[in-house]
Amino acid sequence: MKKNHFFLEIYHEFFHCITWPKWNDLQYQTMIVFFFSIFLSIFLYGIDGFFICLIKRLFSL
């Protein structure tokens, strides 16, 4: 009996208490994540290149 009550509470919570984001908000947040990911990958690529040059100069002495 308790298991049945548990699943009914899950159903109620999922269909009556959860608020989903609006489509415009979802698109806006997706674009923020997309551009931040691109920026971060370019930044880390530059840092990686800097350390590669630094290590090459350090070990070429």
Side-chain angles (χ1 to χ4, degrees), residues 9-43:
E9 285 184 8
I10 290 176
Y11 174 82
H12 176 73
E13 184 77 24
F14 188 74
F15 285 104
H16 300 291
C17 297
I18 294 178
T19 58
W20 300 100
K22 304 287 185 221
W23 182 246
N24 290 336
D25 294 337
L26 192 61
Q27 286 179 328
Y28 177 72
Q29 291 173 354
T30 302
M31 292 306 289
I32 288 174
V33 170
F34 176 75
F35 285 120
F36 184 73
S37 298
I38 296 296
F39 172 75
L40 186 62
S41 64
I42 291 170
F43 176 74

Side-chain angles (χ1 to χ4, degrees), residues 46-58:
I47 296 295
D48 188 43
F50 171 74
F51 280 116
I52 286 173
C53 289
L54 185 68
I55 290 172
K56 281 182 179 179
R57 287 183 190 221
L58 184 65

